[in-house]
């Protein structure tokens, strides 16, 4: 028994969703789950295939990226998770995948335009794509700097991480987050579906128009506003 068992289990369950949802291949991808009171998060160990994972193998790390408990090396993306937890206090789960369509948009260095109501059900703006990192950042503490690249993109675009729970990192791939690890995985699957739909939309009509403001507002507020009426 450890005081970290609950986040180990939550991180394990969330990680196991990624291959089931078709969001990862081999050992790609990672999910973490944080406990704010303990000031730590549980994250997937580096390079271990999903079928060999267990809750006990999740590594406990603090918000500065130091391993607190665990025998295995944490995911190579751990420092990106640590930076985001440290600076964005409202999040308790983070997911990183190289899901195909989301990654294709990231490699094209393009925001994903808001074309339809599926997108508007989750956010009212284009899914932002942070610019590729500069050479200095890449040569230095790369994974740590990736976290700052994401936060800088949100600052520049005037976005709120509590409203927009996803980003593409240019030339790289998507990151998503949420109040729980489960919500972060959900957001990761939503991003991939929206990325695929947007790609197909542009194949059919290269100059497809963006969604009208009235529909953006309607769909988002139906699910999120003070008068939301979607679901039970
Ligand atoms: Zn990656």
């Amino acid at each position: 028994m450890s005081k970290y068992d609950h986040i180990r289990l939550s991180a394990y369950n969330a990680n196991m969703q990624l291959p089931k949802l078709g969001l990862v291949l081999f050992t790609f991808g990672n999910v973490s789950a944080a406990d704010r009171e303990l000031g730590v998060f549980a994250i997937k160990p580096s390079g271990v295939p999903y079928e060999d994972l267990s809750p006990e193998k999740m590594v406990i790390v603090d918000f500065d990226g130091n391993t607190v408990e665990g025998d295995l090396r944490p995911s190579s993306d751990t420092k990106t998770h640590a930076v985001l937890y440290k600076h964005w206090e409202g999040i308790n789960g983070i997911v990183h995948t190289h899901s195909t369509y989301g990654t294709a948009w990231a490699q094209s260095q393009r925001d994903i335009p808001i074309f339809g109501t599926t997108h508007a059900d989750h956010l009212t703006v284009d899914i932002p794509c942070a610019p590729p990192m500069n050479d200095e950042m890449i040569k230095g503490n790369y994974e740590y700097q990736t976290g700052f690249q994401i936060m800088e993109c949100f600052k520049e675009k005037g976005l709120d991480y509590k409203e927009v729970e996803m980003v593409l990192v240019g030339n790289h791939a998507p990151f998503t987050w949420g109040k729980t690890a489960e919500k972060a995985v959900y957001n990761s699957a939503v991003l991939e579906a929206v990325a695929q739909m947007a790609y197909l939309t542009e194949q059919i009509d290269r100059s497809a128009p963006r969604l009208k403001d009235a529909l953006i507002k309607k769909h988002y507020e139906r699910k999120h506003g003070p008068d939301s009426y979607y679901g039970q």
Side-chain angles (χ1 to χ4, degrees), residues 12 15-16 19 24-28 44-54 57-58:
Y12 169 74
N15 271 291
M16 294 310 283
V24 294
L25 275 176
F26 306 114
T27 64
F28 298 8
K44 181 168 160 276
S46 183
V48 178
Y50 284 88
E51 60 270 26
D52 296 339
L53 289 180
S54 65
K57 286 185 181 159
M58 299 295 128

Side-chain angles (χ1 to χ4, degrees), residues 48-158:
V48 178
Y50 284 88
E51 60 270 26
D52 296 339
L53 289 180
S54 65
E56 298 71 42
K57 286 185 181 159
M58 299 295 128
V59 186
I60 305 297
V61 178
D62 68 21
F63 297 158
D64 291 316
N66 305 305
T67 297
V68 172
E69 196 178 274
D71 300 326
L72 299 168
R73 208 142 47 92
S75 159
S76 52
D77 296 305
T78 295
K79 283 190 180 159
T80 310
H81 292 239
V83 167
L84 295 179
Y85 283 129
K86 185 159 184 162
H87 296 272
W88 287 352
E89 291 175 1
I91 63 175
N92 297 307
I94 297 173
V95 178
H96 175 51
T97 75
H98 290 192
S99 63
T100 307
Y101 286 88
T103 301
W105 284 90
Q107 291 180 171
S108 308
Q109 298 175 36
R110 283 187 59 194
D111 296 352
I112 303 178
I114 180 163
F115 283 132
T117 63
T118 321
H119 186 138
D121 281 338
H122 300 91
L123 65 167
T124 57
V125 295
D126 297 351
I127 297 172
C129 182
M133 290 157 68
N134 67 39
D135 292 4
E136 206 90 321
M137 291 170 100
I138 295 165
K139 284 185 208 147
N141 198 339
Y142 174 64
E143 290 81 11
Y144 185 71
Q145 293 295 346
T146 301
F148 286 98
Q149 187 75 354
I150 291 171
M151 289 192 298
E152 192 54 40
C153 165
F154 270 58
K155 210 184 287 171
E156 257 175 35
K157 291 180 188 269

